[in-house]
Amino acid sequence: EVLLVESGGGLVQPGRSLRLSCAASGFIFDGYAMHWVRQIPGKGLEWVSGINWNGDRVGYADSVKGRFTISRDNAKNSLYLQMNSLRPEDTALYYCAKDRTYSSSYFTGAVDVWGQGTKVTVSS
Amino acid sequence: EIVLTQSPGTLSLSPGERATLSCRASQSVGSPYLAWYQQRPGQTPRLLVYGTFTRAPGIPDRFSGSGSGTDFTLTISRLEPEDFAIYYCQQYDTSPLTFGGGTKVEIK
């Protein structure tokens, strides 16, 4: 069974940092690009960041560029999102998501597996 | 960034009726790079269609995608009770990837 399990969310003050992690299992992790997608409860989906299979291509939403950093450790089957200079508008449920395309050099793809999400609340 | 505008915001229909959902892009999207997702209340999104036309594994054939350029459509031929949900389009042609704002299909 393909599983993505996020962790690291919580309550943090504006301007502080948080690191999200995603543990992947049930598929060949280093064969796929991965993504972070967020959703404010009751609102729509927002793609946050993506990374290709080996980490040499990454992309970010304009709203997080320069503040968030995506990375992966293929040896540990793990995906990460380092979030710095957090703002109240970053408050959301953050999903780890698997790209559907195997062995692509890019991070641009549709998502076929989603984790259950980890909640991030930025508030003083 | 490519902005995706979905319409209508809400679609009120009865089971058995046909649903037509629209997704319009602010600039042309390469046809292989448009996807549709379904999100039921309290659940994570589910991939329905990718590459504009191709149903994801396990998706019933009442769901079909079409379109090109800036105009894309998801059609549900006969609504089943489990189809009442929110639907999102997504372009993955160009970074940043973007989602539309969603269309809610509700029971009339």
Side-chain angles (χ1 to χ4, degrees):
Chain A
E1 182 188 7
V2 176
L3 269 181
L4 300 171
V5 180
E6 303 92 338
S7 60
L11 173 63
V12 62
Q13 293 179 328
R16 303 297 292 266
S17 299
L18 210 55
R19 188 192 196 209
L20 305 184
S21 299
C22 172
S25 60
F27 65 101
I28 303 170
F29 183 71
D30 63 5
Y32 294 89
M34 297 292 294
H35 306 268
W36 289 99
V37 178
R38 68 186 181 185
Q39 185 171 34
I40 298 170
K43 301 295 184 182
L45 301 168
E46 181 185 14
W47 180 82
V48 173
S49 183
I51 185 168
N52 75 333
W53 72 275
N54 67 354
D56 68 358
R57 286 191 172 93
V58 298
Y60 300 94
D62 291 346
S63 58
V64 307
K65 196 175 294 184
R67 300 188 298 123
F68 290 11
T69 302
I70 191 171
S71 62
R72 64 190 295 162
D73 185 336
N74 288 341
K76 294 183 178 179
N77 286 357
S78 294
L79 176 72
Y80 306 101
L81 186 67
Q82 178 66 43
M83 304 186 295
N84 298 333
S85 303
L86 282 161
R87 304 168 180 169
E89 54 265 35
D90 295 319
T91 295
L93 184 65
Y94 283 73
Y95 293 109
C96 169
K98 171 188 165 290
D99 196 289
R100 65 162 293 279
T101 306
Y102 179 74
S103 195
S104 170
S105 298
Y106 301 96
F107 57 83
T108 47
V111 168
D112 65 349
V113 180
W114 302 71
Q116 289 301 307
T118 186
K119 185 177 179 182
V120 172
T121 304
V122 184
S123 174
S124 53
Chain B
E1 136 176 349
I2 297 177
V3 176
L4 299 180
T5 301
Q6 291 188 242
S7 62
T10 302
L11 200 51
S12 298
L13 294 168
S14 301
E17 288 194 294
R18 181 185 188 91
T20 303
L21 287 65
S22 173
C23 176
R24 179 161 290 179
S26 60
Q27 60 192 82
S28 186
V29 175
S31 285
Y33 305 121
L34 195 287
W36 291 91
Y37 301 85
Q38 176 194 67
Q39 188 173 32
R40 296 170 176 152
Q43 296 188 14
T44 61
R46 176 173 72 144
L47 178 64
L48 296 176
V49 170
Y50 61 91
T52 301
F53 310 102
T54 306
R55 279 187 298 276
I59 301 303
D61 62 7
R62 64 180 180 273
F63 292 92
S64 62
S66 62
S68 65
T70 60
D71 290 295
F72 298 87
T73 300
L74 176 71
T75 301
I76 311 171
S77 59
R78 297 171 309 279
L79 284 164
E80 297 288 340
E82 61 268 28
D83 299 337
F84 292 93
I86 300 174
Y87 293 83
Y88 297 95
C89 58
Q90 179 211 18
Q91 69 81 20
Y92 50 97
D93 183 19
T94 307
S95 182
L97 282 60
T98 49
F99 288 90
T103 290
K104 182 179 182 180
V105 178
E106 65 175 22
I107 299 176
K108 187 175 181 180

mmCIF file of all heavy atoms in Angstrom, chain A residues 15-59:
data_model
loop_
_atom_site.group_PDB
_atom_site.id
_atom_site.type_symbol
_atom_site.label_atom_id
_atom_site.label_comp_id
_atom_site.label_asym_id
_atom_site.label_seq_id
_atom_site.Cartn_x
_atom_site.Cartn_y
_atom_site.Cartn_z
ATOM 1 N N GLY A 15 6.912 34.845 12.002
ATOM 2 C CA GLY A 15 8.340 35.096 11.909
ATOM 3 C C GLY A 15 9.206 33.912 12.284
ATOM 4 O O GLY A 15 10.407 33.909 11.974
ATOM 5 N N ARG A 16 8.603 32.904 12.906
ATOM 6 C CA ARG A 16 9.377 31.735 13.315
ATOM 7 C C ARG A 16 9.420 30.698 12.211
ATOM 8 O O ARG A 16 8.892 30.892 11.112
ATOM 9 C CB ARG A 16 8.766 31.132 14.596
ATOM 10 C CG ARG A 16 8.669 32.094 15.748
ATOM 11 C CD ARG A 16 10.030 32.589 16.217
ATOM 12 N NE ARG A 16 10.837 31.567 16.839
ATOM 13 C CZ ARG A 16 10.884 31.347 18.165
ATOM 14 N NH1 ARG A 16 10.142 32.079 18.995
ATOM 15 N NH2 ARG A 16 11.667 30.419 18.648
ATOM 16 N N SER A 17 10.089 29.580 12.499
ATOM 17 C CA SER A 17 10.295 28.525 11.502
ATOM 18 C C SER A 17 9.665 27.220 11.936
ATOM 19 O O SER A 17 9.403 27.004 13.119
ATOM 20 C CB SER A 17 11.798 28.305 11.282
ATOM 21 O OG SER A 17 12.427 29.470 10.800
ATOM 22 N N LEU A 18 9.457 26.366 10.944
ATOM 23 C CA LEU A 18 8.908 25.033 11.176
ATOM 24 C C LEU A 18 9.419 24.134 10.060
ATOM 25 O O LEU A 18 9.599 24.591 8.917
ATOM 26 C CB LEU A 18 7.380 25.096 11.152
ATOM 27 C CG LEU A 18 6.553 24.135 11.989
ATOM 28 C CD1 LEU A 18 6.936 24.198 13.456
ATOM 29 C CD2 LEU A 18 5.067 24.450 11.816
ATOM 30 N N ARG A 19 9.650 22.867 10.376
ATOM 31 C CA ARG A 19 10.080 21.918 9.357
ATOM 32 C C ARG A 19 9.094 20.768 9.290
ATOM 33 O O ARG A 19 8.878 20.072 10.289
ATOM 34 C CB ARG A 19 11.473 21.381 9.657
ATOM 35 C CG ARG A 19 12.056 20.542 8.525
ATOM 36 C CD ARG A 19 13.282 19.800 8.972
ATOM 37 N NE ARG A 19 14.068 19.295 7.838
ATOM 38 C CZ ARG A 19 14.822 18.192 7.898
ATOM 39 N NH1 ARG A 19 14.895 17.488 9.008
ATOM 40 N NH2 ARG A 19 15.511 17.818 6.842
ATOM 41 N N LEU A 20 8.499 20.600 8.140
ATOM 42 C CA LEU A 20 7.588 19.487 7.921
ATOM 43 C C LEU A 20 8.349 18.300 7.337
ATOM 44 O O LEU A 20 9.287 18.484 6.553
ATOM 45 C CB LEU A 20 6.458 19.879 6.963
ATOM 46 C CG LEU A 20 5.630 21.107 7.340
ATOM 47 C CD1 LEU A 20 4.494 21.294 6.329
ATOM 48 C CD2 LEU A 20 5.102 21.014 8.746
ATOM 49 N N SER A 21 7.911 17.108 7.699
ATOM 50 C CA SER A 21 8.486 15.884 7.154
ATOM 51 C C SER A 21 7.383 15.010 6.596
ATOM 52 O O SER A 21 6.228 15.099 7.017
ATOM 53 C CB SER A 21 9.238 15.101 8.245
ATOM 54 O OG SER A 21 10.293 15.853 8.778
ATOM 55 N N CYS A 22 7.754 14.181 5.652
ATOM 56 C CA CYS A 22 6.820 13.232 5.053
ATOM 57 C C CYS A 22 7.541 11.916 4.880
ATOM 58 O O CYS A 22 8.557 11.842 4.182
ATOM 59 C CB CYS A 22 6.313 13.760 3.723
ATOM 60 S SG CYS A 22 5.339 12.579 2.766
ATOM 61 N N ALA A 23 7.029 10.871 5.522
ATOM 62 C CA ALA A 23 7.594 9.535 5.385
ATOM 63 C C ALA A 23 6.800 8.772 4.344
ATOM 64 O O ALA A 23 5.576 8.649 4.457
ATOM 65 C CB ALA A 23 7.550 8.810 6.728
ATOM 66 N N ALA A 24 7.501 8.274 3.327
ATOM 67 C CA ALA A 24 6.852 7.580 2.223
ATOM 68 C C ALA A 24 7.129 6.087 2.301
ATOM 69 O O ALA A 24 8.212 5.658 2.718
ATOM 70 C CB ALA A 24 7.356 8.132 0.896
ATOM 71 N N SER A 25 6.150 5.284 1.884
ATOM 72 C CA SER A 25 6.336 3.837 1.836
ATOM 73 C C SER A 25 5.420 3.245 0.786
ATOM 74 O O SER A 25 4.438 3.872 0.363
ATOM 75 C CB SER A 25 6.052 3.212 3.207
ATOM 76 O OG SER A 25 4.722 3.468 3.608
ATOM 77 N N GLY A 26 5.758 2.036 0.356
ATOM 78 C CA GLY A 26 4.905 1.315 -0.582
ATOM 79 C C GLY A 26 5.154 1.601 -2.046
ATOM 80 O O GLY A 26 4.420 1.095 -2.900
ATOM 81 N N PHE A 27 6.177 2.413 -2.350
ATOM 82 C CA PHE A 27 6.523 2.658 -3.742
ATOM 83 C C PHE A 27 8.007 3.016 -3.822
ATOM 84 O O PHE A 27 8.658 3.251 -2.803
ATOM 85 C CB PHE A 27 5.653 3.765 -4.347
ATOM 86 C CG PHE A 27 5.837 5.146 -3.741
ATOM 87 C CD1 PHE A 27 6.608 6.109 -4.376
ATOM 88 C CD2 PHE A 27 5.233 5.476 -2.534
ATOM 89 C CE1 PHE A 27 6.767 7.374 -3.827
ATOM 90 C CE2 PHE A 27 5.377 6.742 -1.978
ATOM 91 C CZ PHE A 27 6.155 7.691 -2.620
ATOM 92 N N ILE A 28 8.519 3.062 -5.043
ATOM 93 C CA ILE A 28 9.936 3.369 -5.253
ATOM 94 C C ILE A 28 10.109 4.874 -5.140
ATOM 95 O O ILE A 28 9.946 5.630 -6.112
ATOM 96 C CB ILE A 28 10.408 2.855 -6.627
ATOM 97 C CG1 ILE A 28 10.141 1.355 -6.729
ATOM 98 C CG2 ILE A 28 11.886 3.158 -6.837
ATOM 99 C CD1 ILE A 28 10.356 0.791 -8.131
ATOM 100 N N PHE A 29 10.432 5.328 -3.944
ATOM 101 C CA PHE A 29 10.422 6.757 -3.638
ATOM 102 C C PHE A 29 11.306 7.558 -4.591
ATOM 103 O O PHE A 29 10.903 8.617 -5.093
ATOM 104 C CB PHE A 29 10.873 6.977 -2.197
ATOM 105 C CG PHE A 29 10.843 8.415 -1.747
ATOM 106 C CD1 PHE A 29 9.637 9.064 -1.540
ATOM 107 C CD2 PHE A 29 12.027 9.115 -1.522
ATOM 108 C CE1 PHE A 29 9.602 10.394 -1.124
ATOM 109 C CE2 PHE A 29 12.000 10.437 -1.103
ATOM 110 C CZ PHE A 29 10.786 11.083 -0.899
ATOM 111 N N ASP A 30 12.505 7.062 -4.873
ATOM 112 C CA ASP A 30 13.425 7.851 -5.692
ATOM 113 C C ASP A 30 13.087 7.792 -7.176
ATOM 114 O O ASP A 30 13.830 8.314 -8.005
ATOM 115 C CB ASP A 30 14.875 7.477 -5.431
ATOM 116 C CG ASP A 30 15.199 6.037 -5.808
ATOM 117 O OD1 ASP A 30 14.312 5.343 -6.367
ATOM 118 O OD2 ASP A 30 16.333 5.593 -5.533
ATOM 119 N N GLY A 31 11.951 7.189 -7.509
ATOM 120 C CA GLY A 31 11.504 7.185 -8.894
ATOM 121 C C GLY A 31 10.514 8.284 -9.232
ATOM 122 O O GLY A 31 10.136 8.450 -10.393
ATOM 123 N N TYR A 32 10.106 9.047 -8.222
ATOM 124 C CA TYR A 32 9.017 9.996 -8.423
ATOM 125 C C TYR A 32 9.333 11.378 -7.880
ATOM 126 O O TYR A 32 9.960 11.517 -6.813
ATOM 127 C CB TYR A 32 7.748 9.499 -7.728
ATOM 128 C CG TYR A 32 7.184 8.239 -8.331
ATOM 129 C CD1 TYR A 32 7.604 6.997 -7.887
ATOM 130 C CD2 TYR A 32 6.246 8.302 -9.363
ATOM 131 C CE1 TYR A 32 7.104 5.834 -8.450
ATOM 132 C CE2 TYR A 32 5.741 7.146 -9.929
ATOM 133 C CZ TYR A 32 6.163 5.917 -9.469
ATOM 134 O OH TYR A 32 5.660 4.776 -10.029
ATOM 135 N N ALA A 33 8.838 12.384 -8.593
ATOM 136 C CA ALA A 33 8.814 13.722 -8.035
ATOM 137 C C ALA A 33 7.802 13.760 -6.893
ATOM 138 O O ALA A 33 6.908 12.913 -6.807
ATOM 139 C CB ALA A 33 8.430 14.744 -9.113
ATOM 140 N N MET A 34 7.973 14.745 -6.021
ATOM 141 C CA MET A 34 7.082 14.892 -4.875
ATOM 142 C C MET A 34 6.671 16.352 -4.734
ATOM 143 O O MET A 34 7.355 17.264 -5.216
ATOM 144 C CB MET A 34 7.774 14.423 -3.589
ATOM 145 C CG MET A 34 8.137 12.958 -3.569
ATOM 146 S SD MET A 34 6.721 11.857 -3.520
ATOM 147 C CE MET A 34 6.036 12.231 -1.896
ATOM 148 N N HIS A 35 5.570 16.571 -4.036
ATOM 149 C CA HIS A 35 5.017 17.906 -3.902
ATOM 150 C C HIS A 35 4.536 18.164 -2.486
ATOM 151 O O HIS A 35 4.211 17.234 -1.741
ATOM 152 C CB HIS A 35 3.803 18.087 -4.824
ATOM 153 C CG HIS A 35 4.052 17.771 -6.255
ATOM 154 N ND1 HIS A 35 4.444 18.727 -7.177
ATOM 155 C CD2 HIS A 35 3.973 16.603 -6.940
ATOM 156 C CE1 HIS A 35 4.560 18.173 -8.356
ATOM 157 N NE2 HIS A 35 4.294 16.875 -8.253
ATOM 158 N N TRP A 36 4.437 19.439 -2.157
ATOM 159 C CA TRP A 36 3.678 19.905 -1.000
ATOM 160 C C TRP A 36 2.531 20.764 -1.530
ATOM 161 O O TRP A 36 2.747 21.655 -2.361
ATOM 162 C CB TRP A 36 4.539 20.719 -0.051
ATOM 163 C CG TRP A 36 5.551 19.917 0.707
ATOM 164 C CD1 TRP A 36 6.873 19.780 0.421
ATOM 165 C CD2 TRP A 36 5.318 19.145 1.893
ATOM 166 N NE1 TRP A 36 7.485 18.957 1.343
ATOM 167 C CE2 TRP A 36 6.556 18.553 2.261
ATOM 168 C CE3 TRP A 36 4.198 18.886 2.687
ATOM 169 C CZ2 TRP A 36 6.692 17.739 3.391
ATOM 170 C CZ3 TRP A 36 4.336 18.072 3.804
ATOM 171 C CH2 TRP A 36 5.570 17.510 4.148
ATOM 172 N N VAL A 37 1.329 20.467 -1.037
ATOM 173 C CA VAL A 37 0.128 21.214 -1.401
ATOM 174 C C VAL A 37 -0.563 21.595 -0.097
ATOM 175 O O VAL A 37 -0.630 20.780 0.826
ATOM 176 C CB VAL A 37 -0.818 20.365 -2.272
ATOM 177 C CG1 VAL A 37 -2.103 21.144 -2.604
ATOM 178 C CG2 VAL A 37 -0.130 19.917 -3.552
ATOM 179 N N ARG A 38 -1.082 22.808 -0.014
ATOM 180 C CA ARG A 38 -1.753 23.204 1.220
ATOM 181 C C ARG A 38 -3.198 23.592 0.971
ATOM 182 O O ARG A 38 -3.588 23.906 -0.159
ATOM 183 C CB ARG A 38 -1.004 24.337 1.916
ATOM 184 C CG ARG A 38 -1.003 25.670 1.198
ATOM 185 C CD ARG A 38 -0.083 26.669 1.928
ATOM 186 N NE ARG A 38 -0.065 27.971 1.279
ATOM 187 C CZ ARG A 38 0.732 28.979 1.661
ATOM 188 N NH1 ARG A 38 1.567 28.821 2.684
ATOM 189 N NH2 ARG A 38 0.680 30.143 1.025
ATOM 190 N N GLN A 39 -3.963 23.553 2.036
ATOM 191 C CA GLN A 39 -5.387 23.872 1.952
ATOM 192 C C GLN A 39 -5.835 24.519 3.247
ATOM 193 O O GLN A 39 -5.719 23.922 4.330
ATOM 194 C CB GLN A 39 -6.211 22.617 1.680
ATOM 195 C CG GLN A 39 -7.685 22.875 1.457
ATOM 196 C CD GLN A 39 -8.423 21.637 0.965
ATOM 197 O OE1 GLN A 39 -8.107 20.515 1.334
ATOM 198 N NE2 GLN A 39 -9.413 21.850 0.098
ATOM 199 N N ILE A 40 -6.339 25.722 3.134
ATOM 200 C CA ILE A 40 -6.977 26.363 4.271
ATOM 201 C C ILE A 40 -8.333 25.679 4.455
ATOM 202 O O ILE A 40 -9.051 25.468 3.462
ATOM 203 C CB ILE A 40 -7.159 27.865 4.018
ATOM 204 C CG1 ILE A 40 -5.787 28.523 3.851
ATOM 205 C CG2 ILE A 40 -7.946 28.523 5.139
ATOM 206 C CD1 ILE A 40 -5.857 29.954 3.370
ATOM 207 N N PRO A 41 -8.695 25.302 5.676
ATOM 208 C CA PRO A 41 -9.972 24.604 5.881
ATOM 209 C C PRO A 41 -11.136 25.352 5.250
ATOM 210 O O PRO A 41 -11.298 26.556 5.435
ATOM 211 C CB PRO A 41 -10.084 24.557 7.412
ATOM 212 C CG PRO A 41 -8.673 24.534 7.878
ATOM 213 C CD PRO A 41 -7.920 25.422 6.924
ATOM 214 N N GLY A 42 -11.913 24.620 4.464
ATOM 215 C CA GLY A 42 -13.061 25.227 3.801
ATOM 216 C C GLY A 42 -12.722 25.984 2.532
ATOM 217 O O GLY A 42 -13.622 26.535 1.883
ATOM 218 N N LYS A 43 -11.422 25.995 2.184
ATOM 219 C CA LYS A 43 -10.988 26.723 0.985
ATOM 220 C C LYS A 43 -10.369 25.764 -0.019
ATOM 221 O O LYS A 43 -10.376 24.546 0.153
ATOM 222 C CB LYS A 43 -9.975 27.813 1.374
ATOM 223 C CG LYS A 43 -10.515 28.825 2.367
ATOM 224 C CD LYS A 43 -11.642 29.648 1.794
ATOM 225 C CE LYS A 43 -12.102 30.710 2.776
ATOM 226 N NZ LYS A 43 -13.243 31.500 2.271
ATOM 227 N N GLY A 44 -9.801 26.334 -1.068
ATOM 228 C CA GLY A 44 -9.267 25.527 -2.158
ATOM 229 C C GLY A 44 -7.850 25.037 -1.921
ATOM 230 O O GLY A 44 -7.257 25.234 -0.867
ATOM 231 N N LEU A 45 -7.319 24.386 -2.938
ATOM 232 C CA LEU A 45 -5.984 23.815 -2.905
ATOM 233 C C LEU A 45 -4.966 24.820 -3.448
ATOM 234 O O LEU A 45 -5.250 25.541 -4.408
ATOM 235 C CB LEU A 45 -5.932 22.545 -3.757
ATOM 236 C CG LEU A 45 -6.892 21.432 -3.351
ATOM 237 C CD1 LEU A 45 -6.947 20.359 -4.431
ATOM 238 C CD2 LEU A 45 -6.479 20.830 -2.017
ATOM 239 N N GLU A 46 -3.789 24.833 -2.825
ATOM 240 C CA GLU A 46 -2.698 25.667 -3.316
ATOM 241 C C GLU A 46 -1.424 24.843 -3.370
ATOM 242 O O GLU A 46 -0.966 24.326 -2.348
ATOM 243 C CB GLU A 46 -2.472 26.892 -2.423
ATOM 244 C CG GLU A 46 -1.349 27.799 -2.936
ATOM 245 C CD GLU A 46 -1.014 28.963 -2.005
ATOM 246 O OE1 GLU A 46 -1.442 28.946 -0.831
ATOM 247 O OE2 GLU A 46 -0.318 29.898 -2.465
ATOM 248 N N TRP A 47 -0.865 24.701 -4.568
ATOM 249 C CA TRP A 47 0.423 24.035 -4.707
ATOM 250 C C TRP A 47 1.482 24.909 -4.057
ATOM 251 O O TRP A 47 1.539 26.110 -4.312
ATOM 252 C CB TRP A 47 0.720 23.818 -6.180
ATOM 253 C CG TRP A 47 2.031 23.146 -6.486
ATOM 254 C CD1 TRP A 47 2.278 21.808 -6.453
ATOM 255 C CD2 TRP A 47 3.243 23.776 -6.899
ATOM 256 N NE1 TRP A 47 3.585 21.572 -6.822
ATOM 257 C CE2 TRP A 47 4.198 22.750 -7.093
ATOM 258 C CE3 TRP A 47 3.623 25.093 -7.116
ATOM 259 C CZ2 TRP A 47 5.510 23.016 -7.509
ATOM 260 C CZ3 TRP A 47 4.920 25.359 -7.526
ATOM 261 C CH2 TRP A 47 5.862 24.330 -7.714
ATOM 262 N N VAL A 48 2.310 24.309 -3.221
ATOM 263 C CA VAL A 48 3.325 25.066 -2.490
ATOM 264 C C VAL A 48 4.704 24.885 -3.123
ATOM 265 O O VAL A 48 5.420 25.856 -3.373
ATOM 266 C CB VAL A 48 3.375 24.610 -1.013
ATOM 267 C CG1 VAL A 48 4.532 25.260 -0.272
ATOM 268 C CG2 VAL A 48 2.048 24.909 -0.331
ATOM 269 N N SER A 49 5.062 23.618 -3.375
ATOM 270 C CA SER A 49 6.408 23.350 -3.867
ATOM 271 C C SER A 49 6.486 21.953 -4.453
ATOM 272 O O SER A 49 5.692 21.072 -4.105
ATOM 273 C CB SER A 49 7.407 23.480 -2.711
ATOM 274 O OG SER A 49 8.733 23.296 -3.159
ATOM 275 N N GLY A 50 7.442 21.761 -5.357
ATOM 276 C CA GLY A 50 7.690 20.455 -5.933
ATOM 277 C C GLY A 50 9.173 20.204 -6.097
ATOM 278 O O GLY A 50 9.969 21.148 -6.171
ATOM 279 N N ILE A 51 9.541 18.920 -6.147
ATOM 280 C CA ILE A 51 10.951 18.539 -6.284
ATOM 281 C C ILE A 51 11.023 17.298 -7.159
ATOM 282 O O ILE A 51 10.191 16.391 -7.042
ATOM 283 C CB ILE A 51 11.575 18.293 -4.886
ATOM 284 C CG1 ILE A 51 13.074 18.021 -4.977
ATOM 285 C CG2 ILE A 51 10.863 17.168 -4.146
ATOM 286 C CD1 ILE A 51 13.778 18.060 -3.614
ATOM 287 N N ASN A 52 11.988 17.252 -8.065
ATOM 288 C CA ASN A 52 12.091 16.090 -8.932
ATOM 289 C C ASN A 52 12.729 14.929 -8.180
ATOM 290 O O ASN A 52 13.054 15.017 -6.993
ATOM 291 C CB ASN A 52 12.805 16.429 -10.233
ATOM 292 C CG ASN A 52 14.305 16.575 -10.056
ATOM 293 O OD1 ASN A 52 14.776 16.916 -8.973
ATOM 294 N ND2 ASN A 52 15.050 16.307 -11.106
ATOM 295 N N TRP A 53 12.959 13.823 -8.868
ATOM 296 C CA TRP A 53 13.333 12.586 -8.188
ATOM 297 C C TRP A 53 14.635 12.666 -7.408
ATOM 298 O O TRP A 53 14.779 12.071 -6.353
ATOM 299 C CB TRP A 53 13.407 11.440 -9.197
ATOM 300 C CG TRP A 53 14.585 11.515 -10.113
ATOM 301 C CD1 TRP A 53 14.672 12.214 -11.277
ATOM 302 C CD2 TRP A 53 15.851 10.881 -9.927
ATOM 303 N NE1 TRP A 53 15.919 12.069 -11.824
ATOM 304 C CE2 TRP A 53 16.669 11.249 -11.027
ATOM 305 C CE3 TRP A 53 16.389 10.035 -8.944
ATOM 306 C CZ2 TRP A 53 17.977 10.802 -11.157
ATOM 307 C CZ3 TRP A 53 17.693 9.590 -9.075
ATOM 308 C CH2 TRP A 53 18.467 9.982 -10.181
ATOM 309 N N ASN A 54 15.593 13.437 -7.919
ATOM 310 C CA ASN A 54 16.897 13.484 -7.236
ATOM 311 C C ASN A 54 17.176 14.833 -6.586
ATOM 312 O O ASN A 54 18.270 15.043 -6.052
ATOM 313 C CB ASN A 54 18.016 13.113 -8.193
ATOM 314 C CG ASN A 54 18.218 14.144 -9.291
ATOM 315 O OD1 ASN A 54 17.447 15.095 -9.420
ATOM 316 N ND2 ASN A 54 19.254 13.976 -10.088
ATOM 317 N N GLY A 55 16.235 15.740 -6.636
ATOM 318 C CA GLY A 55 16.389 17.001 -5.920
ATOM 319 C C GLY A 55 17.089 18.102 -6.667
ATOM 320 O O GLY A 55 17.294 19.186 -6.103
ATOM 321 N N ASP A 56 17.446 17.879 -7.932
ATOM 322 C CA ASP A 56 18.174 18.939 -8.621
ATOM 323 C C ASP A 56 17.269 19.915 -9.373
ATOM 324 O O ASP A 56 17.745 20.863 -9.990
ATOM 325 C CB ASP A 56 19.264 18.372 -9.545
ATOM 326 C CG ASP A 56 18.710 17.616 -10.736
ATOM 327 O OD1 ASP A 56 17.472 17.486 -10.845
ATOM 328 O OD2 ASP A 56 19.516 17.135 -11.549
ATOM 329 N N ARG A 57 15.969 19.652 -9.311
ATOM 330 C CA ARG A 57 14.997 20.617 -9.860
ATOM 331 C C ARG A 57 13.898 20.821 -8.830
ATOM 332 O O ARG A 57 13.269 19.857 -8.382
ATOM 333 C CB ARG A 57 14.397 20.110 -11.170
ATOM 334 C CG ARG A 57 15.343 20.181 -12.348
ATOM 335 C CD ARG A 57 14.591 19.912 -13.643
ATOM 336 N NE ARG A 57 15.413 20.155 -14.822
ATOM 337 C CZ ARG A 57 16.119 19.218 -15.439
ATOM 338 N NH1 ARG A 57 16.112 17.973 -14.988
ATOM 339 N NH2 ARG A 57 16.829 19.504 -16.505
ATOM 340 N N VAL A 58 13.688 22.061 -8.462
ATOM 341 C CA VAL A 58 12.657 22.396 -7.483
ATOM 342 C C VAL A 58 11.875 23.602 -7.981
ATOM 343 O O VAL A 58 12.347 24.380 -8.813
ATOM 344 C CB VAL A 58 13.255 22.704 -6.093
ATOM 345 C CG1 VAL A 58 13.976 21.488 -5.520
ATOM 346 C CG2 VAL A 58 14.186 23.913 -6.151
ATOM 347 N N GLY A 59 10.668 23.752 -7.434
ATOM 348 C CA GLY A 59 9.849 24.904 -7.789
ATOM 349 C C GLY A 59 8.983 25.307 -6.599
ATOM 350 O O GLY A 59 8.717 24.486 -5.707
#
